[in-house]
Amino acid sequence: MMIERLEEEFSDPALIRLMAKIASACTEISDAIRVQAIDDSKDGSGNLSGRAESTNVQGEEQMKLDIYSHDVFVKACKESNSCVGLISEEVEEYIDLREGGGERGKRGEQEGLAPSSSSDQIHDGGQELGEEKKYIVAFDPLDGSSNVAYGVSVGSIFSVFEYKTTGEGDTRNPIEEVLKPQTGRNVMCAGYCVYGSSTDLVIATRKNTRVVGWTLDPSSNTYVKTRADISIPQRGKIYSINEGYEHKFSEGMKRYIRDCKESSSMTARYVGSMVADVHRTLLAGGTFHYPLGKLRMLYECFPMALMIEVAGGLSISDTGSNTLDSAVESIHERGAIHLGSKENMDDLKKCLRL
Ligand code: P6P
């Protein structure tokens, strides 16, 4: 599997390897989703169809595809030789990949799912630890997976933190690198892959301060660079929120929704997969909201907030603080998020009295 011109976006070889491995993982997940759709259309007997009879750290029932996608991400990150640790929506504990580390990406044992990686240790490929940069990746391997059975777009989301190793024998807990005040500002790059009418990988790099999009060409199994520098429109016509919870929203949020409904230029779209709703917001403009604190900070809010901010938009919490300025104390912490085009976000802030 190839990804075009990745080296134009990153200079660190360890990060280039990591992004290439993540792209490859997304291809495997994309393929698995489409195979499962065929299994489901028959008798649902396929080894990736249906529920996994287990729940994740959020207490949410896991689909077999969730666990498979988790395994694929863990394997890819290990094989990149660029990671010291991982945080996955599907596993409660931090996954320490260093020699003698803790978790090895433990997951529910399911028949017929991705074989766990042959080696539990990462090999630095002869590189002394510390010669190359090392990273921690936080990911939701298959966000919105309950939508797969209905043919609705889903996606993978990830954020990358640089681990400033002190070299040989470094025993500090890498998590302390991640869970600091203004945690979001430690995200050095982030991305998502949307598995929809096309498989689109979108990465925001803080270094080049731009958002780049690749589209998987199934005929050559290559990610073609299709969007070299994405900017979110200054104003959009779409607001995206689950209005089924309107009774739980603040008066300010209700005011914003009412204003959108009374406006002749706004319309509503809500897929129920964050990746699909944010991808559309990034490209078409407008706003996306999840004000009830369901979404996870490290691998949903921060990556999407970085994406939107680097593309020229804004992402805030319910209190108006910038999402990326949030401090996070635990790896699965949730938070409220509002993101989108600058001018629409100004309208929102007026309604929220911010
Ligand atoms: P609701 C999917 O389960 C998810 O985590 C996000 O992808 C999505 O934005 C949100 O939850 C949808 O939640 O409560 O509207 O179904």
Side-chain angles (χ1 to χ4, degrees):
M1 193 284 313
M2 265 288 294
I3 174 166
E4 261 185 5
R5 296 157 47 200
L6 193 56
E7 63 288 346
E8 291 171 0
E9 310 308 325
F10 300 100
S11 51
D12 174 30
L15 193 52
I16 292 172
R17 278 201 315 270
L18 177 58
M19 289 297 110
K21 276 292 182 185
I22 286 177
S24 179
C26 292
T27 304
E28 287 186 54
I29 294 167
S30 179
D31 293 346
I33 287 169
R34 301 177 201 295
V35 165
Q36 187 230 319
I38 296 169
D39 286 342
D40 278 355
S41 65
K42 290 181 196 147
D43 57 4
S45 59
N47 62 13
L48 290 180
S49 297
R51 304 192 179 290
E53 312 308 328
S54 57
T55 57
N56 64 14
V57 61
Q58 337 286 341
E60 295 160 345
E61 198 164 32
Q62 288 176 305
M63 311 298 283
K64 287 180 184 175
L65 262 179
D66 285 320
I67 295 172
Y68 173 81
S69 304
H70 163 84
D71 287 346
V72 166
F73 249 85
V74 170
K75 186 167 177 283
C77 291
K78 280 183 180 177
E79 290 175 352
S80 73
N81 294 333
S82 306
C83 295
V84 292
L86 305 174
I87 293 161
S88 168
E89 195 226 21
E90 300 304 331
V91 169
E92 178 157 8
E93 300 303 319
Y94 169 70
I95 302 167
D96 191 335
L97 297 180
R98 294 176 301 175
E99 294 283 333
E103 288 284 332
R104 285 281 178 272
K106 206 180 289 179
R107 54 154 172 89
E109 293 305 319
Q110 300 291 330
E111 285 308 311
L113 293 187
S116 56
S117 164
S118 54
S119 149
D120 263 350
Q121 311 290 326
I122 49 171
H123 300 295
D124 289 359
Q127 301 269 5
E128 285 301 310
L129 194 63
E131 274 178 24
E132 278 193 337
K133 292 185 177 177
K134 291 290 178 184
Y135 299 95
I136 295 168
V137 181
F139 58 85
D140 185 351
L142 192 58
D143 181 68
S145 56
S146 55
N147 289 306
V148 169
Y150 314 117
V152 172
S153 298
V154 292
S156 302
I157 316 173
F158 59 92
S159 48
V160 180
F161 299 83
E162 184 181 343
Y163 174 60
K164 298 179 181 59
T165 174
T166 55
E168 272 305 303
D170 183 358
T171 56
R172 281 174 311 124
N173 178 350
I175 272 298
E176 282 150 30
E177 288 292 305
V178 172
L179 299 181
K180 285 178 182 170
Q182 293 211 309
T183 307
R185 295 294 170 194
N186 301 322
V187 177
M188 52 94 60
C189 80
Y192 60 77
C193 193
V194 54
Y195 312 115
S197 48
S198 57
T199 294
D200 283 288
L201 176 65
V202 181
I203 297 175
T205 66
R206 190 187 289 286
K207 173 185 170 296
N208 287 349
T209 60
R210 63 181 178 200
V211 180
V212 182
W214 290 264
T215 303
L216 182 63
D217 174 353
S219 64
S220 61
N221 205 30
T222 298
Y223 280 98
V224 179
K225 190 176 275 190
T226 45
R227 297 181 174 98
D229 191 352
I230 299 174
S231 293
I232 186 171
Q234 281 299 300
R235 175 173 287 279
K237 298 181 176 181
I238 298 169
Y239 73 99
S240 183
I241 187 168
N242 186 339
E243 294 191 47
Y245 302 135
E246 184 161 9
H247 58 290
K248 298 180 182 175
F249 295 158
S250 68
E251 286 312 309
M253 191 71 240
K254 291 176 182 175
R255 190 176 305 117
Y256 178 74
I257 293 171
R258 198 169 45 245
D259 288 357
C260 288
K261 287 181 172 174
E262 289 167 1
S263 158
S264 59
S265 63
M266 294 297 285
T267 187
R269 290 284 183 280
Y270 190 74
V271 177
S273 279
M274 185 186 199
V275 178
D277 284 318
V278 173
H279 187 57
R280 183 203 56 247
T281 303
L282 177 69
L283 298 181
T287 55
F288 167 80
H289 314 264
Y290 209 102
L292 301 177
K294 169 184 181 183
L295 302 179
R296 273 65 58 145
M297 294 304 290
L298 288 186
Y299 41 81
E300 289 175 317
C301 296
F302 284 157
M304 296 313 202
L306 182 68
M307 204 69 64
I308 293 294
E309 184 170 292
V310 171
L314 178 65
S315 179
I316 61 172
S317 68
D318 270 346
T319 60
S321 60
N322 189 301
T323 301
L324 291 173
D325 290 337
S326 309
V328 168
E329 301 198 344
S330 65
I331 61 176
H332 297 294
E333 190 165 318
R334 300 165 187 262
I337 189 166
H338 306 267
L339 57 79
S341 302
K342 276 279 176 60
E343 291 179 14
N344 298 89
M345 292 298 285
D346 286 344
D347 298 343
L348 171 70
K349 285 159 73 173
K350 288 191 188 89
C351 292
L352 298 179
R353 302 273 191 272
L354 295 173

